[in-house]
PDB file of all heavy atoms in Angstrom:
ATOM      1  N   VAL O 194      -1.329  23.515  10.597  1.00 97.00           N
ATOM      2  CA  VAL O 194      -1.559  24.918  10.950  1.00 97.00           C
ATOM      3  C   VAL O 194      -2.378  25.603   9.843  1.00 97.00           C
ATOM      4  O   VAL O 194      -2.175  25.335   8.667  1.00 97.00           O
ATOM      5  CB  VAL O 194      -0.207  25.654  11.143  1.00 97.00           C
ATOM      6  CG1 VAL O 194      -0.425  27.155  11.304  1.00 97.00           C
ATOM      7  CG2 VAL O 194       0.519  25.098  12.360  1.00 97.00           C
ATOM      8  N   VAL O 195      -3.287  26.469  10.262  1.00 97.00           N
ATOM      9  CA  VAL O 195      -4.086  27.249   9.306  1.00 97.00           C
ATOM     10  C   VAL O 195      -3.688  28.712   9.423  1.00 97.00           C
ATOM     11  O   VAL O 195      -3.674  29.268  10.533  1.00 97.00           O
ATOM     12  CB  VAL O 195      -5.597  27.102   9.608  1.00 97.00           C
ATOM     13  CG1 VAL O 195      -6.420  27.865   8.577  1.00 97.00           C
ATOM     14  CG2 VAL O 195      -5.992  25.628   9.626  1.00 97.00           C
ATOM     15  N   LEU O 196      -3.300  29.306   8.313  1.00 97.00           N
ATOM     16  CA  LEU O 196      -2.912  30.717   8.305  1.00 97.00           C
ATOM     17  C   LEU O 196      -3.871  31.499   7.405  1.00 97.00           C
ATOM     18  O   LEU O 196      -4.425  30.947   6.457  1.00 97.00           O
ATOM     19  CB  LEU O 196      -1.488  30.872   7.747  1.00 97.00           C
ATOM     20  CG  LEU O 196      -0.357  30.141   8.464  1.00 97.00           C
ATOM     21  CD1 LEU O 196       0.931  30.269   7.661  1.00 97.00           C
ATOM     22  CD2 LEU O 196      -0.153  30.704   9.861  1.00 97.00           C
ATOM     23  N   TYR O 197      -4.048  32.757   7.698  1.00 96.00           N
ATOM     24  CA  TYR O 197      -4.905  33.596   6.858  1.00 96.00           C
ATOM     25  C   TYR O 197      -4.490  35.045   7.029  1.00 96.00           C
ATOM     26  O   TYR O 197      -3.946  35.416   8.071  1.00 96.00           O
ATOM     27  CB  TYR O 197      -6.390  33.415   7.212  1.00 96.00           C
ATOM     28  CG  TYR O 197      -6.715  33.656   8.665  1.00 96.00           C
ATOM     29  CD1 TYR O 197      -7.148  34.904   9.120  1.00 96.00           C
ATOM     30  CD2 TYR O 197      -6.563  32.630   9.602  1.00 96.00           C
ATOM     31  CE1 TYR O 197      -7.424  35.124  10.461  1.00 96.00           C
ATOM     32  CE2 TYR O 197      -6.841  32.845  10.937  1.00 96.00           C
ATOM     33  CZ  TYR O 197      -7.272  34.088  11.366  1.00 96.00           C
ATOM     34  OH  TYR O 197      -7.531  34.288  12.699  1.00 96.00           O
ATOM     35  N   ASN O 198      -4.750  35.859   6.039  1.00 94.00           N
ATOM     36  CA  ASN O 198      -4.538  37.290   6.200  1.00 94.00           C
ATOM     37  C   ASN O 198      -5.908  37.979   6.176  1.00 94.00           C
ATOM     38  O   ASN O 198      -6.887  37.419   5.672  1.00 94.00           O
ATOM     39  CB  ASN O 198      -3.610  37.863   5.127  1.00 94.00           C
ATOM     40  CG  ASN O 198      -4.202  37.792   3.730  1.00 94.00           C
ATOM     41  OD1 ASN O 198      -4.818  36.808   3.361  1.00 94.00           O
ATOM     42  ND2 ASN O 198      -3.989  38.824   2.934  1.00 94.00           N
ATOM     43  N   GLY O 199      -5.952  39.137   6.736  1.00 86.00           N
ATOM     44  CA  GLY O 199      -7.251  39.809   6.893  1.00 86.00           C
ATOM     45  C   GLY O 199      -7.579  39.910   8.356  1.00 86.00           C
ATOM     46  O   GLY O 199      -6.832  39.435   9.218  1.00 86.00           O
ATOM     47  N   ASP O 200      -8.734  40.490   8.652  1.00 82.00           N
ATOM     48  CA  ASP O 200      -9.038  40.806  10.047  1.00 82.00           C
ATOM     49  C   ASP O 200      -9.962  39.784  10.706  1.00 82.00           C
ATOM     50  O   ASP O 200     -10.411  39.974  11.820  1.00 82.00           O
ATOM     51  CB  ASP O 200      -9.654  42.202  10.140  1.00 82.00           C
ATOM     52  CG  ASP O 200     -10.864  42.349   9.222  1.00 82.00           C
ATOM     53  OD1 ASP O 200     -11.277  41.337   8.617  1.00 82.00           O
ATOM     54  OD2 ASP O 200     -11.383  43.472   9.100  1.00 82.00           O
ATOM     55  N   ARG O 201     -10.276  38.695  10.037  1.00 84.00           N
ATOM     56  CA  ARG O 201     -11.121  37.678  10.665  1.00 84.00           C
ATOM     57  C   ARG O 201     -10.801  36.306  10.085  1.00 84.00           C
ATOM     58  O   ARG O 201     -10.161  36.197   9.032  1.00 84.00           O
ATOM     59  CB  ARG O 201     -12.598  38.000  10.469  1.00 84.00           C
ATOM     60  CG  ARG O 201     -13.039  38.014   9.020  1.00 84.00           C
ATOM     61  CD  ARG O 201     -14.378  38.674   8.854  1.00 84.00           C
ATOM     62  NE  ARG O 201     -14.252  40.110   9.034  1.00 84.00           N
ATOM     63  CZ  ARG O 201     -15.196  40.998   8.746  1.00 84.00           C
ATOM     64  NH1 ARG O 201     -16.371  40.592   8.334  1.00 84.00           N
ATOM     65  NH2 ARG O 201     -15.000  42.280   8.908  1.00 84.00           N
ATOM     66  N   GLU O 202     -11.272  35.281  10.794  1.00 87.00           N
ATOM     67  CA  GLU O 202     -11.026  33.923  10.315  1.00 87.00           C
ATOM     68  C   GLU O 202     -11.737  33.718   8.980  1.00 87.00           C
ATOM     69  O   GLU O 202     -12.735  34.372   8.691  1.00 87.00           O
ATOM     70  CB  GLU O 202     -11.534  32.890  11.333  1.00 87.00           C
ATOM     71  CG  GLU O 202     -10.541  32.648  12.447  1.00 87.00           C
ATOM     72  CD  GLU O 202     -10.826  31.365  13.229  1.00 87.00           C
ATOM     73  OE1 GLU O 202     -11.822  30.679  12.916  1.00 87.00           O
ATOM     74  OE2 GLU O 202     -10.064  31.069  14.153  1.00 87.00           O
ATOM     75  N   PRO O 203     -11.249  32.773   8.163  1.00 89.00           N
ATOM     76  CA  PRO O 203     -11.864  32.554   6.845  1.00 89.00           C
ATOM     77  C   PRO O 203     -13.370  32.327   6.929  1.00 89.00           C
ATOM     78  O   PRO O 203     -13.861  31.698   7.870  1.00 89.00           O
ATOM     79  CB  PRO O 203     -11.143  31.302   6.344  1.00 89.00           C
ATOM     80  CG  PRO O 203      -9.820  31.332   7.041  1.00 89.00           C
ATOM     81  CD  PRO O 203     -10.080  31.932   8.384  1.00 89.00           C
ATOM     82  N   GLN O 204     -14.079  32.814   5.898  1.00 80.00           N
ATOM     83  CA  GLN O 204     -15.541  32.875   5.939  1.00 80.00           C
ATOM     84  C   GLN O 204     -16.231  31.539   6.175  1.00 80.00           C
ATOM     85  O   GLN O 204     -17.254  31.484   6.851  1.00 80.00           O
ATOM     86  CB  GLN O 204     -16.060  33.465   4.624  1.00 80.00           C
ATOM     87  CG  GLN O 204     -15.821  32.570   3.408  1.00 80.00           C
ATOM     88  CD  GLN O 204     -16.508  33.099   2.145  1.00 80.00           C
ATOM     89  OE1 GLN O 204     -16.060  34.058   1.565  1.00 80.00           O
ATOM     90  NE2 GLN O 204     -17.569  32.445   1.734  1.00 80.00           N
ATOM     91  N   ALA O 205     -15.699  30.459   5.603  1.00 81.00           N
ATOM     92  CA  ALA O 205     -16.427  29.193   5.725  1.00 81.00           C
ATOM     93  C   ALA O 205     -16.147  28.470   7.034  1.00 81.00           C
ATOM     94  O   ALA O 205     -16.769  27.456   7.322  1.00 81.00           O
ATOM     95  CB  ALA O 205     -16.103  28.306   4.540  1.00 81.00           C
ATOM     96  N   GLY O 206     -15.200  28.988   7.824  1.00 88.00           N
ATOM     97  CA  GLY O 206     -15.053  28.540   9.193  1.00 88.00           C
ATOM     98  C   GLY O 206     -14.267  27.278   9.434  1.00 88.00           C
ATOM     99  O   GLY O 206     -13.713  26.666   8.525  1.00 88.00           O
ATOM    100  N   SER O 207     -14.230  26.901  10.734  1.00 93.00           N
ATOM    101  CA  SER O 207     -13.340  25.850  11.209  1.00 93.00           C
ATOM    102  C   SER O 207     -13.701  24.466  10.681  1.00 93.00           C
ATOM    103  O   SER O 207     -12.914  23.541  10.797  1.00 93.00           O
ATOM    104  CB  SER O 207     -13.337  25.823  12.733  1.00 93.00           C
ATOM    105  OG  SER O 207     -14.651  25.554  13.194  1.00 93.00           O
ATOM    106  N   VAL O 208     -14.888  24.324  10.100  1.00 95.00           N
ATOM    107  CA  VAL O 208     -15.263  23.028   9.544  1.00 95.00           C
ATOM    108  C   VAL O 208     -14.295  22.658   8.417  1.00 95.00           C
ATOM    109  O   VAL O 208     -14.147  21.485   8.080  1.00 95.00           O
ATOM    110  CB  VAL O 208     -16.737  23.092   9.075  1.00 95.00           C
ATOM    111  CG1 VAL O 208     -16.890  23.895   7.809  1.00 95.00           C
ATOM    112  CG2 VAL O 208     -17.326  21.708   8.914  1.00 95.00           C
ATOM    113  N   ASN O 209     -13.584  23.655   7.898  1.00 97.00           N
ATOM    114  CA  ASN O 209     -12.632  23.398   6.826  1.00 97.00           C
ATOM    115  C   ASN O 209     -11.252  22.955   7.309  1.00 97.00           C
ATOM    116  O   ASN O 209     -10.384  22.671   6.485  1.00 97.00           O
ATOM    117  CB  ASN O 209     -12.501  24.637   5.934  1.00 97.00           C
ATOM    118  CG  ASN O 209     -13.705  24.794   5.060  1.00 97.00           C
ATOM    119  OD1 ASN O 209     -13.920  24.008   4.148  1.00 97.00           O
ATOM    120  ND2 ASN O 209     -14.539  25.769   5.370  1.00 97.00           N
ATOM    121  N   TRP O 210     -11.037  22.962   8.611  1.00 97.00           N
ATOM    122  CA  TRP O 210      -9.805  22.356   9.137  1.00 97.00           C
ATOM    123  C   TRP O 210     -10.151  21.395  10.286  1.00 97.00           C
ATOM    124  O   TRP O 210      -9.350  21.062  11.129  1.00 97.00           O
ATOM    125  CB  TRP O 210      -8.762  23.384   9.533  1.00 97.00           C
ATOM    126  CG  TRP O 210      -9.218  24.481  10.465  1.00 97.00           C
ATOM    127  CD1 TRP O 210      -9.233  24.443  11.823  1.00 97.00           C
ATOM    128  CD2 TRP O 210      -9.687  25.790  10.088  1.00 97.00           C
ATOM    129  NE1 TRP O 210      -9.696  25.633  12.319  1.00 97.00           N
ATOM    130  CE2 TRP O 210      -9.977  26.486  11.278  1.00 97.00           C
ATOM    131  CE3 TRP O 210      -9.879  26.437   8.867  1.00 97.00           C
ATOM    132  CZ2 TRP O 210     -10.465  27.790  11.282  1.00 97.00           C
ATOM    133  CZ3 TRP O 210     -10.367  27.735   8.877  1.00 97.00           C
ATOM    134  CH2 TRP O 210     -10.646  28.397  10.068  1.00 97.00           C
ATOM    135  N   SER O 211     -11.371  20.917  10.231  1.00 97.00           N
ATOM    136  CA  SER O 211     -11.855  20.006  11.256  1.00 97.00           C
ATOM    137  C   SER O 211     -11.252  18.608  11.085  1.00 97.00           C
ATOM    138  O   SER O 211     -10.829  18.227   9.998  1.00 97.00           O
ATOM    139  CB  SER O 211     -13.384  19.921  11.122  1.00 97.00           C
ATOM    140  OG  SER O 211     -13.871  18.749  11.698  1.00 97.00           O
ATOM    141  N   SER O 212     -11.246  17.854  12.197  1.00 97.00           N
ATOM    142  CA  SER O 212     -10.805  16.453  12.109  1.00 97.00           C
ATOM    143  C   SER O 212     -11.990  15.537  11.839  1.00 97.00           C
ATOM    144  O   SER O 212     -11.799  14.319  11.726  1.00 97.00           O
ATOM    145  CB  SER O 212     -10.088  16.039  13.387  1.00 97.00           C
ATOM    146  OG  SER O 212     -10.950  16.195  14.488  1.00 97.00           O
ATOM    147  N   GLY O 213     -13.200  16.099  11.741  1.00 97.00           N
ATOM    148  CA  GLY O 213     -14.373  15.270  11.418  1.00 97.00           C
ATOM    149  C   GLY O 213     -14.524  14.105  12.370  1.00 97.00           C
ATOM    150  O   GLY O 213     -14.498  14.275  13.577  1.00 97.00           O
ATOM    151  N   PHE O 214     -14.631  12.914  11.802  1.00 96.00           N
ATOM    152  CA  PHE O 214     -14.776  11.718  12.644  1.00 96.00           C
ATOM    153  C   PHE O 214     -13.445  11.166  13.130  1.00 96.00           C
ATOM    154  O   PHE O 214     -13.418  10.200  13.868  1.00 96.00           O
ATOM    155  CB  PHE O 214     -15.573  10.628  11.908  1.00 96.00           C
ATOM    156  CG  PHE O 214     -15.130  10.386  10.489  1.00 96.00           C
ATOM    157  CD1 PHE O 214     -13.913   9.794  10.220  1.00 96.00           C
ATOM    158  CD2 PHE O 214     -15.934  10.760   9.437  1.00 96.00           C
ATOM    159  CE1 PHE O 214     -13.499   9.575   8.906  1.00 96.00           C
ATOM    160  CE2 PHE O 214     -15.527  10.549   8.120  1.00 96.00           C
ATOM    161  CZ  PHE O 214     -14.298   9.947   7.862  1.00 96.00           C
ATOM    162  N   LEU O 215     -12.330  11.771  12.682  1.00 96.00           N
ATOM    163  CA  LEU O 215     -11.037  11.367  13.252  1.00 96.00           C
ATOM    164  C   LEU O 215     -10.932  11.953  14.659  1.00 96.00           C
ATOM    165  O   LEU O 215     -11.626  12.919  14.974  1.00 96.00           O
ATOM    166  CB  LEU O 215      -9.882  11.917  12.402  1.00 96.00           C
ATOM    167  CG  LEU O 215      -9.725  11.370  10.980  1.00 96.00           C
ATOM    168  CD1 LEU O 215      -8.598  12.133  10.258  1.00 96.00           C
ATOM    169  CD2 LEU O 215      -9.413   9.897  11.004  1.00 96.00           C
ATOM    170  N   PRO O 216     -10.054  11.402  15.510  1.00 92.00           N
ATOM    171  CA  PRO O 216      -9.889  12.008  16.830  1.00 92.00           C
ATOM    172  C   PRO O 216      -9.596  13.511  16.736  1.00 92.00           C
ATOM    173  O   PRO O 216      -8.914  13.955  15.819  1.00 92.00           O
ATOM    174  CB  PRO O 216      -8.712  11.225  17.415  1.00 92.00           C
ATOM    175  CG  PRO O 216      -8.791   9.892  16.739  1.00 92.00           C
ATOM    176  CD  PRO O 216      -9.254  10.188  15.339  1.00 92.00           C
ATOM    177  N   ALA O 217     -10.114  14.241  17.708  1.00 91.00           N
ATOM    178  CA  ALA O 217     -10.070  15.713  17.640  1.00 91.00           C
ATOM    179  C   ALA O 217      -8.646  16.272  17.633  1.00 91.00           C
ATOM    180  O   ALA O 217      -8.426  17.391  17.156  1.00 91.00           O
ATOM    181  CB  ALA O 217     -10.844  16.280  18.829  1.00 91.00           C
ATOM    182  N   VAL O 218      -7.689  15.493  18.127  1.00 89.00           N
ATOM    183  CA  VAL O 218      -6.313  15.996  18.222  1.00 89.00           C
ATOM    184  C   VAL O 218      -5.716  16.296  16.841  1.00 89.00           C
ATOM    185  O   VAL O 218      -4.752  17.047  16.712  1.00 89.00           O
ATOM    186  CB  VAL O 218      -5.437  14.971  18.997  1.00 89.00           C
ATOM    187  CG1 VAL O 218      -5.175  13.727  18.171  1.00 89.00           C
ATOM    188  CG2 VAL O 218      -4.140  15.593  19.475  1.00 89.00           C
ATOM    189  N   TYR O 219      -6.314  15.758  15.787  1.00 95.00           N
ATOM    190  CA  TYR O 219      -5.748  15.929  14.447  1.00 95.00           C
ATOM    191  C   TYR O 219      -6.266  17.145  13.692  1.00 95.00           C
ATOM    192  O   TYR O 219      -5.913  17.369  12.544  1.00 95.00           O
ATOM    193  CB  TYR O 219      -5.988  14.649  13.615  1.00 95.00           C
ATOM    194  CG  TYR O 219      -5.345  13.433  14.247  1.00 95.00           C
ATOM    195  CD1 TYR O 219      -6.125  12.409  14.775  1.00 95.00           C
ATOM    196  CD2 TYR O 219      -3.968  13.331  14.355  1.00 95.00           C
ATOM    197  CE1 TYR O 219      -5.542  11.311  15.388  1.00 95.00           C
ATOM    198  CE2 TYR O 219      -3.368  12.241  14.966  1.00 95.00           C
ATOM    199  CZ  TYR O 219      -4.171  11.225  15.484  1.00 95.00           C
ATOM    200  OH  TYR O 219      -3.570  10.150  16.091  1.00 95.00           O
ATOM    201  N   GLN O 220      -7.114  17.924  14.305  1.00 95.00           N
ATOM    202  CA  GLN O 220      -7.657  19.093  13.620  1.00 95.00           C
ATOM    203  C   GLN O 220      -6.585  20.185  13.440  1.00 95.00           C
ATOM    204  O   GLN O 220      -5.550  20.167  14.111  1.00 95.00           O
ATOM    205  CB  GLN O 220      -8.833  19.676  14.400  1.00 95.00           C
ATOM    206  CG  GLN O 220      -8.458  20.252  15.749  1.00 95.00           C
ATOM    207  CD  GLN O 220      -9.673  20.517  16.611  1.00 95.00           C
ATOM    208  OE1 GLN O 220     -10.474  21.374  16.285  1.00 95.00           O
ATOM    209  NE2 GLN O 220      -9.806  19.787  17.701  1.00 95.00           N
ATOM    210  N   GLY O 221      -6.835  21.109  12.538  1.00 96.00           N
ATOM    211  CA  GLY O 221      -5.882  22.186  12.293  1.00 96.00           C
ATOM    212  C   GLY O 221      -5.929  23.230  13.394  1.00 96.00           C
ATOM    213  O   GLY O 221      -6.942  23.419  14.067  1.00 96.00           O
ATOM    214  N   THR O 222      -4.787  23.909  13.581  1.00 93.00           N
ATOM    215  CA  THR O 222      -4.721  24.993  14.567  1.00 93.00           C
ATOM    216  C   THR O 222      -4.586  26.321  13.823  1.00 93.00           C
ATOM    217  O   THR O 222      -3.590  26.527  13.134  1.00 93.00           O
ATOM    218  CB  THR O 222      -3.498  24.819  15.492  1.00 93.00           C
ATOM    219  OG1 THR O 222      -3.617  23.552  16.146  1.00 93.00           O
ATOM    220  CG2 THR O 222      -3.413  25.930  16.529  1.00 93.00           C
ATOM    221  N   PRO O 223      -5.591  27.191  13.930  1.00 93.00           N
ATOM    222  CA  PRO O 223      -5.437  28.489  13.236  1.00 93.00           C
ATOM    223  C   PRO O 223      -4.453  29.409  13.941  1.00 93.00           C
ATOM    224  O   PRO O 223      -4.485  29.514  15.161  1.00 93.00           O
ATOM    225  CB  PRO O 223      -6.867  29.057  13.264  1.00 93.00           C
ATOM    226  CG  PRO O 223      -7.637  28.255  14.231  1.00 93.00           C
ATOM    227  CD  PRO O 223      -6.854  27.032  14.600  1.00 93.00           C
TER     228      PRO O 223
END
Side-chain angles (χ1 to χ4, degrees):
Chain O
V194 171
V195 182
L196 301 173
Y197 55 94
N198 66 319
D200 54 6
R201 63 195 72 169
E202 277 197 359
Q204 67 173 74
S207 61
V208 74
N209 286 290
W210 52 87
S211 158
S212 59
F214 46 70
L215 293 175
V218 71
Y219 300 112
Q220 66 193 293
T222 301

